Amino acid sequence: MVVKMRIVKIFDTTLRDGEQSPGASMNVEEKLQVAKQLVRLGVDIIEAGFPIASEGDFEAVNRIANEVNGAVIAGLARAKEADIKRAWEAVKNAQHKRIHTFHSTSDIHLQYQFRISREEALKRSVEMVRYARSLVKDVEFSPMDATRTELSYLLEVIDAVIEAGALTVNIPDTVGYTTPEEFGKIIRAIKERINDRAVISVHCHNDLGLAVANSLSAVFNGAGQVECTINGIGERAGNCSLEEIAMALRTRKDFFNADTDINTREIIRSSRLITKITGIPVQPNKAIVGANAFAHESGIHQDGLLKEKTTYEIIRPESIGLQSTRLVLGKHSGRHAFKTRLKELGYDLSPEEAESAFMKFKHLADQKKEIYDEDLETLVSEEVAKIPEIYSLVDLSVLSGLKKKPKAIIKMRVKGKTVQKTATGDGPVDATYKAIASLTKAKSNLLKFEVKSITGGTDALGEVIVSLEEKDKTVRGHGADTDIIVAAAKAYINALNKLAVRKK
Ligand code: KIV
Ligand code: ZN
């Protein structure tokens, strides 16, 4: 007998739980960019945010609901009427919408945090699921801290919220406490109790490094939805990583008899986008998307690989979209080739954005002979995430060497005026930043400065990410250029523009 392959739904919470990673906050434009990429990646549900949390969160969820098609758009709400109403207002225009409401169920949370009885928690959960159902059909309920909740009570809550109309029950391992075998048993018990009356979802945190293993065990025992984030970002040690769960199921579908609808070729692009926007780097040895994930160092392995790839490679790099050696365009490529390649890469730019990106491409092509997909993506994502330019770079020259103190001469547009400054510093970047700070009267502190090369070679596009802080506001700026000092200047100016926008 042939058993039909199950398709497990992917519920991406990069924009909600992922954004709860320290320092990972994203602005509305960045969230829209991520949501569009998640659709290309093929996720089923995008948890776009927690609308009651702030005006910014509401606006982001609302704009995603209005502008992004191709996935269910979910808004998170505590089991409170005001939260659910706000979530509904944020998602109501989406083609497919969901309200995800939650209430703690563990005794630890009920006694110490909420100071209410189990009966009261159950009553509130049921009432709020009913209320959410009066607004929208697709309602998900999460008994928070489920893995530290007594199983009989957990089953009682699950039964009751399904009765009240929840179509999905999500079982969160809120504090990353469970283990694969234990979690598998919990999921199996729930499956036996509810059968197909609702979809069982799982939401695992990675405090013990077990989020992916726990989620896989849940799938093996009947879960039909996995909640996860790109690069595994999220509260504390993060969430189950989307790329790991998707590739584990794709690679071992023979074992799990389950797969997802993820277009794995979009994985690397999604991962890089999140790194760029959040400034949170991926560790080199991270599974699937780490820089070393496909680097074979051992002679014995290299020998095997040269003879037959499958000897030491269980995943083809191309299957996650790694094609960095693909040469795309060069100096002589015209608008048509440029726009066609952008379309192939999944970017749908307005004519103005495409023209502005094309001019940047031409400028880059003058400096760099070979332009790769990654270079194009860097140019285009700068274009898409455009923010008002209160400050812009006009010109920069830097003198540095062994014997002289580095000196930067910078020309900028500052609030409509062209101004110039010369400064010296401990290094060329320091001199440049001092000149910029003086021209813009910046009062911010530099929290982080990171440099990376987008492709290989000495003429590679270098990307700089900086984090600035001013009066409790933290922003990240990006800059890319073949000249790393220019990239650093652009990143600083980009961050100052973001700070200025946030101050407004
Ligand atoms: O970790 C958790 O319990 C959550 C819930 C809101 C689902 O993020
Ligand atoms: Zn969580």
Side-chain angles (χ1 to χ4, degrees):
M1 192 181 78
V2 183
V3 186
K4 211 170 147 239
M5 181 81 63
R6 264 190 326 128
I7 293 294
V8 174
K9 289 189 186 160
I10 292 294
F11 176 113
D12 180 277
T13 183
T14 307
L15 294 173
R16 199 278 298 170
D17 215 319
E19 209 207 10
Q20 289 172 218
S21 308
S25 63
M26 305 172 220
N27 66 34
V28 176
E29 294 303 327
E30 289 168 336
K31 285 186 179 176
L32 265 169
Q33 211 184 332
V34 172
K36 288 178 185 166
Q37 178 56 29
L38 290 173
V39 170
R40 284 195 281 268
L41 181 62
V43 310
D44 300 280
I45 302 110
I46 296 174
E47 185 163 59
F50 191 4
I52 198 133
S54 70
E55 282 301 319
D57 251 60
F58 178 87
E59 192 194 338
V61 179
N62 192 239
R63 286 208 38 207
I64 291 170
N66 280 294
E67 296 173 37
V68 179
N69 290 326
V72 175
I73 308 300
L76 183 69
R78 286 168 299 185
K80 289 183 172 193
E81 222 173 283
D83 280 42
I84 293 173
K85 198 155 169 259
R86 196 79 177 131
W88 164 243
E89 279 159 9
V91 299
K92 68 181 175 200
N93 292 332
Q95 230 167 33
H96 304 285
K97 45 211 158 251
R98 174 178 296 189
I99 293 177
H100 174 196
T101 186
F102 67 99
H103 198 300
S104 289
T105 50
S106 67
D107 286 341
I108 301 181
H109 284 203
L110 297 185
Q111 277 173 23
Y112 298 111
Q113 190 180 8
F114 294 91
R115 297 177 204 278
I116 59 170
S117 65
R118 286 183 179 184
E119 292 70 32
E120 180 59 24
L122 187 131
K123 183 168 159 274
R124 287 185 194 178
S125 305
V126 167
E127 278 173 8
M128 288 305 112
V129 167
R130 259 196 216 119
Y131 175 54
R133 265 310 292 263
S134 72
L135 302 169
V136 67
K137 185 165 179 233
D138 190 349
V139 172
E140 170 172 332
F141 177 79
S142 293
M144 189 152 90
D145 204 18
T147 50
R148 294 192 299 167
T149 301
E150 194 187 297
L151 186 59
S152 61
Y153 175 61
L154 182 66
L155 291 171
E156 197 185 328
V157 173
I158 289 171
D159 256 339
V161 293
I162 294 175
E163 193 62 30
L167 299 185
T168 304
V169 280
N170 177 44
I171 312 303
D173 183 25
T174 305
V175 290
Y177 177 72
T178 198
T179 62
E181 202 158 350
E182 179 186 70
F183 199 47
K185 280 190 191 149
I186 296 174
I187 300 302
R188 183 170 304 179
I190 297 171
K191 185 73 186 167
E192 278 164 8
R193 177 75 160 249
I194 72 168
N195 235 310
D196 292 329
R197 286 192 289 137
V199 174
I200 302 174
S201 169
V202 290
H203 176 111
C204 296
H205 279 274
N206 206 29
D207 301 66
L208 296 174
L210 292 172
V212 175
N214 287 337
S215 305
L216 284 170
S217 170
V219 168
F220 192 75
N221 284 284
Q225 175 179 296
V226 174
E227 303 199 354
C228 44
T229 59
I230 306 285
N231 295 343
I233 63 169
E235 185 81 28
R236 305 181 312 280
N239 287 65
C240 169
S241 127
L242 185 149
E243 58 279 6
E244 291 178 27
I245 193 96
M247 287 314 292
L249 289 176
R250 183 70 43 93
T251 309
R252 296 307 314 272
K253 51 180 183 280
D254 60 318
F255 178 75
F256 289 101
N257 194 37
D259 198 356
T260 68
D261 280 334
I262 289 296
N263 174 6
T264 61
R265 288 182 168 266
E266 290 292 330
I267 283 179
I268 201 74
R269 187 181 309 158
S270 309
S271 166
R272 285 179 181 158
L273 179 68
I274 293 303
T275 299
K276 182 165 133 42
I277 287 180
T278 61
I280 301 174
V282 167
Q283 77 196 54
N285 59 326
K286 160 118 175 40
I288 318 295
V289 292
N292 297 346
F294 297 94
H296 299 269
E297 191 67 28
S298 137
I300 298 172
H301 290 201
Q302 288 174 354
D303 173 62
L305 275 168
L306 288 171
K307 291 174 177 149
E308 164 57 40
K309 287 242 190 289
T310 53
T311 50
Y312 291 93
E313 201 173 73
I314 58 159
I315 301 168
R316 301 302 314 274
E318 304 85 274
S319 67
I320 64 151
L322 266 177
Q323 289 176 327
S324 56
T325 50
R326 191 155 133 73
L327 175 65
V328 198
L329 301 167
K331 196 176 169 143
H332 302 293
S333 310
R335 276 183 181 73
H336 185 71
F338 177 74
K339 286 182 188 167
T340 308
R341 187 64 198 142
L342 286 187
K343 270 232 161 75
E344 285 167 5
L345 286 172
Y347 291 102
D348 196 10
L349 300 190
S350 71
E352 299 76 46
E353 285 167 345
E355 188 54 29
S356 164
F358 181 70
M359 297 321 283
K360 285 186 183 161
F361 158 71
K362 277 292 184 191
H363 179 67
L364 180 63
D366 276 338
Q367 298 165 316
K368 188 176 189 290
K369 218 165 81 209
E370 297 166 332
I371 296 185
Y372 298 93
D373 282 348
E374 289 89 336
D375 297 319
L376 282 187
E377 282 173 348
T378 305
L379 290 185
V380 173
S381 55
E382 272 184 2
E383 206 44 56
V384 176
K386 212 179 211 149
I387 53 154
E389 287 204 322
I390 296 156
Y391 311 113
S392 62
L393 182 66
V394 178
D395 201 4
L396 171 66
S397 55
V398 178
L399 292 166
S400 69
L402 275 179
K403 305 244 162 76
K404 285 210 171 93
K405 207 167 161 73
K407 182 159 95 177
I409 307 161
I410 192 160
K411 201 189 266 183
M412 286 180 68
R413 294 280 294 167
V414 174
K415 298 180 184 168
K417 283 195 189 122
T418 304
V419 285
Q420 185 167 320
K421 180 85 192 172
T422 301
T424 53
D426 291 334
V429 174
D430 188 44
T432 305
Y433 277 26
K434 279 188 175 137
I436 296 173
S438 158
L439 288 176
T440 57
K441 304 189 175 42
K443 302 217 166 25
S444 45
N445 294 323
L446 182 67
L447 296 181
K448 207 155 122 190
F449 179 90
E450 276 173 79
V451 190
K452 82 173 204 252
S453 129
I454 303 284
T455 54
T458 48
D459 65 348
L461 204 54
E463 185 180 41
V464 175
I465 303 179
V466 296
S467 294
L468 297 185
E469 179 197 51
E470 188 179 331
K471 290 192 194 140
D472 291 346
K473 292 190 181 69
T474 310
V475 291
R476 271 178 310 280
H478 305 268
D481 202 280
T482 47
D483 180 326
I484 206 69
I485 310 297
V486 174
K490 284 182 178 173
Y492 188 26
I493 293 170
N494 179 245
L496 290 175
N497 278 320
K498 286 187 179 172
L499 262 182
V501 170
R502 285 192 57 186
K503 272 192 220 159
K504 273 192 187 168

